[in-house]
């Protein structure tokens, strides 16, 4: 039976079970299913794929491989590897696969499917040429989808030549609007060799907050309410809780500053395993927290369960559903050109 797993040792050194959910992935767990998945993601890159693939292969064969490879090419490569391994599998031995990569493949496929009818689709695809933009764009679309499904009006913001440019805005009511800036720091893109340490995590979050909420040059306009959304991938057990504790400390340090900041949203792409008899299914998961800023002086009231809940399933046939699941207004039909720099 194919088995997807990853090390689950937590900060205390013991193994922890993954959380369970009732949703079931729609992945066709066959050689053809993974081949179709690879082909679909390759189409996102269009004519850029061959060039990016060649660069990826040069990096892999280099005596000094690059620290960061093109994430989407890597995911496509892994999907094809799994397809080949399943085709060769005799059906009697255990086949161990990487659950993190499989679930990231599914999340990537489904968020891009959802937004594929956006009028700025060519700009979104073009931005994927940058290796560091892939996970940032995936997280931006996952956050936007989550917020839309929570009942908010959601806008994806274009990137003009200058000015304050958040990634997303939400409109929880007719008279209120909140800006969100999404950051996906490299240090929070797992799997990690070691669990996140509290001290360095505090310093990193504080640096990111100061950049995003700077009154002079930050993406969050001090004249509007704003949320810093920090995206992470595959942190392992206890990872999002470490982020949450660190965010609380950062905002407590700044309790007399940044009155326009509603708080810090924490979003981790992960998975849960559902065991039914001898079979296991993987469910991609978006772990979400909102840490409120004690000095926020705006009028937006953020309710638990509206913007953030402790654990939210990234339902492949529901929450992150088909195109059109999130109504688009005129503002949302503006450009989604991503900045070609690491956010």
């Amino acid at each position: 039976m194919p088995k997807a797993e990853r090390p689950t040792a937590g900060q205390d050194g013991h193994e922890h079970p993954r959380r369970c959910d009732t949703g079931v992935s729609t992945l066709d767990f066959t050689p053809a299913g993974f081949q179709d998945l690879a082909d679909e993601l390759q189409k996102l890159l269009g004519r850029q794929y061959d060039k990016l693939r060649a660069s990826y292969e040069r990096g892999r064969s280099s005596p000094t491989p690059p620290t960061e490879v093109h994430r989407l090419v890597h995911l496509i490569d892994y999907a094809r590897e799994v397809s080949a391994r399943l085709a060769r599998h005799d059906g009697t031995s255990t086949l161990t696969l990487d659950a993190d990569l499989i679930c990231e493949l599914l999340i990537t496929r489904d968020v891009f499917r959802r937004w594929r009818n956006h009028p700025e689709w060519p700009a979104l695809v073009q931005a994927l040429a940058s290796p560091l933009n892939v996970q940032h764009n995936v997280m931006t679309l996952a956050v936007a989808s989550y917020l839309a499904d929570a009942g908010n009006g959601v806008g994806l913001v274009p990137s003009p030549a200058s000015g304050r440019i958040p990634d997303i805005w939400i409109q929880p009511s007719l008279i209120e609007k909140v800006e969100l800036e999404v950051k996906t720091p490299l240090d929070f893109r797992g799997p990690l060799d070691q669990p996140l340490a509290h001290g360095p995590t505090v310093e990193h979050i504080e640096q990111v907050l100061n950049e995003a909420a700077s009154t002079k040059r930050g993406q969050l306009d001090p004249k509007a309410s704003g949320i810093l959304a920090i995206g992470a991938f595959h942190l392992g057990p206890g990872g999002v809780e470490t982020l949450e504790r660190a965010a609380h400390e950062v905002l407590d340090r700044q309790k007399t500053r940044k009155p326009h900041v509603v708080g810090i949203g924490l979003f981790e792409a992960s998975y849960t395993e559902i065991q039914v008899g001898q079979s296991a299914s993987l469910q991609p998961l978006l772990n979400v927290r909102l840490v409120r800023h004690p000095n926020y002086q705006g009028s937006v009231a953020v309710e638990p369960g509206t913007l953030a809940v402790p654990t939210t399933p990234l339902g492949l046939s529901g929450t992150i559903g088909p195109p059109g699941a999130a109504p688009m207004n005129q503002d949302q039909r503006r450009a989604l050109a991503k900045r070609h720099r690491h956010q």
Side-chain angles (χ1 to χ4, degrees), residues 270-298:
S270 184
Y271 71 91
T272 187
E273 182 177 333
I274 305 162
Q275 192 76 33
V276 181
Q278 297 298 311
S279 300
S281 298
L282 295 178
Q283 174 64 55
L285 199 69
L286 192 65
N287 286 323
V288 184
R289 304 287 192 278
L290 176 70
V291 180
R292 294 174 176 82
H293 186 14
N295 194 40
Y296 173 60
Q297 297 177 15

Side-chain angles (χ1 to χ4, degrees), residues 9-211:
Q11 295 186 33
D12 58 3
H14 294 87
E15 291 196 349
H16 298 271
R18 304 296 298 181
R19 288 180 297 273
C20 292
D21 201 285
T22 57
V24 179
S25 169
T26 58
L27 173 65
D28 178 11
F29 215 90
T30 64
F34 276 94
Q35 184 62 49
D36 289 345
L37 180 57
D39 291 344
E40 182 173 346
L41 293 181
Q42 180 177 331
K43 289 179 181 178
L44 289 176
L45 295 173
R47 296 178 180 178
Q48 303 176 97
Y49 175 75
D50 290 339
K51 181 180 178 180
L52 293 171
R53 173 74 187 183
S55 176
Y56 174 79
E57 290 295 341
R58 286 194 300 271
R60 291 183 63 183
S61 61
S62 171
T64 56
T67 304
E68 295 296 327
V69 298
H70 196 286
R71 188 64 175 180
L72 188 51
V73 175
H74 181 64
L75 291 173
I76 293 168
D77 192 62
Y78 187 69
R80 293 203 167 112
E81 176 189 330
V82 172
S83 176
R85 291 176 64 190
L86 286 172
R88 297 192 303 266
H89 189 236
D90 60 12
T92 59
S93 59
T94 298
L95 178 63
T96 301
L97 304 174
D98 190 318
D100 285 325
L101 288 180
I102 290 174
C103 286
E104 190 173 339
L105 276 161
L106 294 173
I107 291 171
T108 301
R109 178 196 69 181
D110 280 58
V111 296
F112 276 100
R113 272 185 181 179
R114 174 166 185 163
W115 296 93
R116 65 188 173 188
N117 291 331
H118 196 279
E120 293 302 322
W121 181 252
L124 178 61
V125 171
Q126 187 66 30
L128 294 176
S130 171
L132 295 178
N133 267 352
V134 175
Q135 286 183 309
H136 179 267
N137 285 5
V138 169
M139 184 57 66
T140 297
L141 294 180
V143 171
S145 299
Y146 168 71
L147 294 170
D149 290 320
N152 300 286
V154 176
L156 296 166
V157 182
S159 180
S162 61
R164 296 181 181 274
I165 313 301
D167 290 299
I168 303 170
W169 58 257
I170 61 173
Q171 192 158 355
S173 72
L174 291 176
I175 61 174
E176 295 174 324
K177 191 172 180 179
V178 182
E179 296 179 342
L180 281 91
E181 173 63 13
V182 180
K183 300 288 188 183
T184 53
L186 291 178
D187 286 350
F188 299 161
R189 301 184 188 190
L192 307 176
D193 294 332
Q194 298 290 333
L196 289 175
H198 179 74
T201 302
V202 169
E203 294 177 3
H204 206 137
I205 291 178
E206 187 160 38
Q207 178 183 358
V208 172
L209 176 64
N210 288 338
E211 291 173 355

